[in-house]
Amino acid sequence: MVSKYAIFCSVIELGSFTKTAKQLNYSQSAVSQTIKNLEEEIGTRLLTRGNEGIKLTKDGQTLYPYFQQIVQGEKQLTKKIKELQGLDKAEIRISIFTSASRNFILPFIKAFKANYPSVNFVLKQGEYTSIYQWLETGQVDLGFTHMDYVGQLQSQILYQDSLYAVLPSKHPLAQQSEISLADLAQTELILLDEGDHSLTRTAFTKENIVPTFTYEIYDDYTILEMIRQGLGVSLLYENFLDGLSLEDLAVRQISENPFRTVVLAWKNWQTLPLAAQQFAKNISSTIHD
C-alpha cells in the first residue's frame, strides 16, 4: 500500500495526477481523493492546478521537504521489513489460463515487482482440471480458475467473464447484433478446449441444444487464426478478446450470456508462502478498492 505522502510526492515529481495514477496502478480519482484527504487532515491547501500545471502553494513548499523525508524513511522501513520477512528472492508459482495471463495478471505482477524486484514469478498455463490438481498437489501456490470448480480449495472472487461469438466478418450471422446458441449450433463450431469442464458445452446442454464441434483446440490464438481462415465459428472469452486487433472479425454478444466467475484460489492460507500471500492480498485490495 502506497502512503499518502508517497502519492503526494509522486504528483509533485511527475507533475501530473494522471501519470501518478498510471505509475502506481491507481485510478486518477483515488489519487485526487488522497491529496484532498491529506489537505483536509493538515488543514491547508498544498497545491494548485492550472494552465501551467501543478504548483505547490506556500504551505506546500514548506511541508514538501518533510514529506520527502517521510517517504525516504518509509522506503528504508519497507526494505528492512522485506529482509525480515524473507520476500527477497522468493518465488510465486501461479497456474492460469490464457485470458487471465494476457489481460488481467500482468499489471499486478508489474506493480509487485516494483516493490519486490527480486521476487520471481512462474506462470503455468492450463485448464480447470489441471489447475485444480496443481493446487491440490502443491505444484503451484495460487491458481486462477472457475468458481464452480474449486472444490475444497479456498478462493477469492475476482471478476465475471462472458463468452462471445467470434465469426468471419462476412459470415451471414455477422449481420446480427446478437446471436443465439441455437444459431451457433448450425455453424461449423471450433470448441475452446477447457478440459473436463467446458462452459461452452454446458451452455448448449442447458438449452437442450446438441451442437457438432468440428474442431477442439486448446490455444485461443490458434482459434482466432482458424476463424480468419474461414474454418469455423467459436465462442471465446471477453477478457481474452479485450484489446486484440479484431477488425477483420465479427464479435457478437450471445443471447443467453454464458459466463464464468473467475476466482483466485489456493489450498491453505496458513501454509501459503508469504510472498504468495502478499501477492494475493495486493490483487484483492485492488479489485475491491
Side-chain angles (χ1 to χ4, degrees), residues 97 99 128 146 159-161 194 199 237 258-262:
F97 40 78
S99 64
Y128 307 132
H146 192 312
Y159 60 90
Q160 288 187 341
D161 199 5
E194 296 183 272
L199 178 58
Y237 285 103
F259 68 90
R260 64 183 173 186
T261 300
V262 178

Side-chain angles (χ1 to χ4, degrees), residues 3-6 8-10 13 60-78:
S3 76
K4 55 192 174 186
Y5 304 110
F8 181 86
C9 289
S10 181
E13 290 163 9
Q61 291 174 354
T62 301
L63 294 174
Y64 182 45
Y66 295 97
F67 291 162
Q68 289 178 307
Q69 291 178 24
I70 292 173
V71 172
Q72 285 302 315
E74 289 173 339
K75 288 180 179 178
Q76 293 174 7
L77 177 61
T78 300

Side-chain angles (χ1 to χ4, degrees), residues 17-267:
F17 281 71
T18 303
K19 290 179 181 179
T20 297
K22 185 175 181 180
Q23 183 181 79
L24 300 178
N25 198 29
Y26 277 32
S27 66
Q28 185 172 335
S29 60
V31 172
S32 298
Q33 188 61 47
T34 299
I35 301 302
K36 180 180 179 182
N37 292 343
L38 180 60
E39 290 178 327
E40 290 178 352
E41 178 184 329
I42 296 174
T44 187
R45 190 78 176 271
L46 298 173
L47 53 81
T48 60
R49 283 190 285 182
N51 294 332
E52 298 180 1
I54 293 173
K55 286 189 174 183
L56 287 166
T57 64
K58 185 175 181 181
D59 288 339
Q61 291 174 354
T62 301
L63 294 174
Y64 182 45
Y66 295 97
F67 291 162
Q68 289 178 307
Q69 291 178 24
I70 292 173
V71 172
Q72 285 302 315
E74 289 173 339
K75 288 180 179 178
Q76 293 174 7
L77 177 61
T78 300
K79 181 180 179 181
K80 182 56 64 177
I81 290 174
K82 282 190 287 186
E83 291 173 358
L84 294 174
Q85 292 178 332
L87 287 185
D88 284 345
K89 299 181 180 179
E91 181 177 85
I92 303 175
R93 304 165 301 163
I94 302 172
S95 53
I96 198 166
F97 40 78
T98 304
S99 64
S101 64
R102 192 186 79 83
N103 260 354
F104 182 82
I105 198 174
L106 298 183
F108 292 103
I109 291 178
K110 182 178 179 180
F112 198 82
K113 288 284 287 183
N115 290 323
Y116 308 101
S118 62
V119 171
N120 295 321
F121 284 84
V122 176
L123 301 185
K124 192 171 183 178
Q125 288 199 329
E127 29 68 41
Y128 307 132
T129 303
S130 298
I131 290 171
Y132 179 85
Q133 292 173 347
W134 294 336
L135 286 166
E136 271 290 328
T137 57
Q139 295 181 57
V140 296
D141 306 308
L142 302 168
F144 287 77
T145 189
H146 192 312
M147 183 174 70
D148 292 348
Y149 309 123
V150 296
Q152 299 302 310
L153 297 172
Q154 300 170 9
S155 63
Q156 170 72 58
I157 293 176
L158 298 178
Y159 60 90
Q160 288 187 341
D161 199 5
S162 296
L163 281 173
Y164 276 70
V166 185
L167 317 88
S169 58
K170 295 183 180 180
H171 193 284
L173 291 178
Q175 305 304 314
Q176 302 177 196
S177 60
E178 190 174 273
I179 303 174
S180 69
L181 290 172
D183 286 337
L184 290 169
Q186 304 304 312
T187 68
E188 295 279 312
L189 280 172
I190 307 170
L191 176 66
L192 173 64
D193 181 5
E194 296 183 272
D196 296 335
H197 306 292
S198 168
L199 178 58
T200 299
R201 289 187 185 276
T202 301
F204 280 110
T205 300
K206 184 178 179 180
E207 299 299 321
N208 296 313
I209 300 172
V210 183
T212 299
F213 295 105
T214 309
Y215 307 94
E216 184 170 349
I217 309 294
Y218 173 76
D219 182 63
D220 306 67
Y221 292 100
T222 300
I223 293 176
L224 284 180
E225 190 56 37
M226 292 175 72
I227 298 170
R228 288 190 171 98
Q229 296 295 325
L231 291 173
V233 169
S234 190
L235 287 74
L236 296 174
Y237 285 103
E238 177 183 13
N239 199 45
F240 167 71
L241 297 169
D242 186 34
L244 290 177
S245 177
L246 301 170
E247 291 82 2
D248 55 337
L249 298 174
V251 179
R252 300 290 181 266
Q253 286 187 329
I254 299 171
S255 304
E256 294 80 0
N257 189 32
F259 68 90
R260 64 183 173 186
T261 300
V262 178
V263 300
L264 182 63
W266 55 87
K267 186 174 182 180

